[in-house]
Amino acid sequence: MATDLIPLGDPALRQKARLTLSVNGEPRELLVDGYKTLLELLREELQLTGTKHGCELGECGACAVLLDGQLVLSCLVAAVECDGRAVETVEGMQAGPELHPLQACFADHGAAQCGYCTPGFLVAAKELLARRPDATRAEIAEALSGQLCRCTGYLQIFEAVEAAAAQLGTTRK
Amino acid sequence: MSGHNVIGKPLRRVDGRAKVTGQTRFADDLSLPRMLHCKILRATLPHARIRSIDTTSAKTA
């Protein structure tokens, strides 16, 4: 008999929890099932489907989001852990109609082919550039090593991150 | 080559903007009214004959 990965029989997981958190700068209050992950909270409760459901095992990086500015895999974070915290997803990267330099450079460098891994890459790259504004190619490769792309290849992605870093550097100065 | 508008020039793909903003809809992102959900129940024995399937827990979910 196969055992469920999530023991849904556990009454604690069946209970709903009231959470207050900030999502892309907006305060949200919601009632969430105890067994749900942060990924499910974003996609199913808030309809923010830009964050992707990939392997659900923490191997592919498609579900990456920022939790209090830290890069996390939302498929491995319980929703109830996020009470009082700030989440940022790909939907929060734009400033109005203006694309974030990373988004514009990904589009211009052909760094998104099928696009499924793109939100995770963008969020991971944003976290890197916040910490290392002039990251080297090796540091970019290291920071993005948790994100898997199965079509474009990584070269265009590295080039896009470098171009965005250059743009961000010039706007800061 | 100077007469061309497209050939030899790097261009954004038509759906590039949607892809970098998380707006592209993949199959798993669709949510329709009265949508049914399925789950794969895998056989625990190879090459076995299925005589019956107990669907009670699926129907109560």
Side-chain angles (χ1 to χ4, degrees):
Chain A
M1 163 111 196
T3 41
D4 260 322
L5 287 175
I6 301 166
L8 289 176
D10 187 335
L13 292 180
R14 278 292 180 191
Q15 265 175 33
K16 289 197 181 248
R18 183 175 296 281
L19 303 181
T20 314
L21 69 164
S22 154
V23 180
N24 297 329
E26 267 183 62
R28 307 299 287 253
E29 198 183 336
L30 54 162
L31 215 51
V32 185
D33 287 307
Y35 63 85
K36 286 206 172 176
T37 62
L38 173 58
L39 175 64
E40 289 164 332
L41 179 152
L42 293 168
R43 292 178 54 86
E44 296 169 15
E45 310 291 328
L46 301 175
Q47 282 74 51
L48 292 172
T49 54
T51 305
K52 296 298 175 218
H53 211 146
C55 68
E56 246 186 50
L57 298 166
E59 289 177 0
C60 74
C63 66
V65 298
L66 301 182
L67 185 58
D68 290 336
Q70 288 254 344
L71 189 68
V72 296
L73 298 173
S74 64
C75 75
L76 299 182
V77 177
V80 292
E81 289 178 82
C82 302
D83 191 36
R85 304 176 76 180
V87 182
E88 196 190 326
T89 70
V90 69
E91 287 94 343
M93 285 182 75
Q94 275 169 274
E98 197 75 26
L99 290 180
H100 185 280
L102 275 167
Q103 293 175 307
C105 291
F106 266 61
D108 288 335
H109 285 77
Q113 191 173 316
C114 90
Y116 204 81
C117 69
T118 308
F121 268 102
L122 285 166
V123 169
K126 191 180 174 200
E127 188 274 339
L128 168 70
L129 295 185
R131 170 163 62 80
R132 297 276 307 153
D134 39 19
T136 62
R137 174 67 66 101
E139 286 169 325
I140 294 169
E142 160 99 55
L144 300 182
S145 61
Q147 318 300 122
L148 298 185
C149 167
R150 294 284 89 128
C151 49
T152 307
Y154 299 91
L155 202 59
Q156 291 93 321
I157 295 172
F158 296 158
E159 285 166 359
V161 176
E162 284 168 351
Q167 271 186 31
L168 283 161
T170 48
T171 47
R172 248 197 308 269
K173 272 164 209 160
Chain B
M1 289 292 268
S2 57
H4 297 304
N5 294 321
V6 174
I7 295 167
K9 290 188 178 138
L11 290 171
R12 248 185 217 188
R13 52 195 306 141
V14 283
D15 53 0
R17 190 184 171 91
K19 281 177 176 166
V20 298
T21 52
Q23 298 306 305
T24 303
R25 291 276 171 263
F26 294 84
D28 192 32
D29 302 330
L30 300 171
S31 181
L32 299 167
R34 304 185 62 215
M35 193 160 81
L36 297 175
H37 294 265
C38 74
K39 186 174 175 182
I40 295 169
L41 178 67
R42 295 187 191 278
T44 52
L45 297 167
H47 211 274
R49 191 180 305 277
I50 300 165
R51 293 246 171 104
S52 68
I53 296 175
D54 183 1
T55 56
T56 40
S57 74
K59 281 180 176 164
T60 54

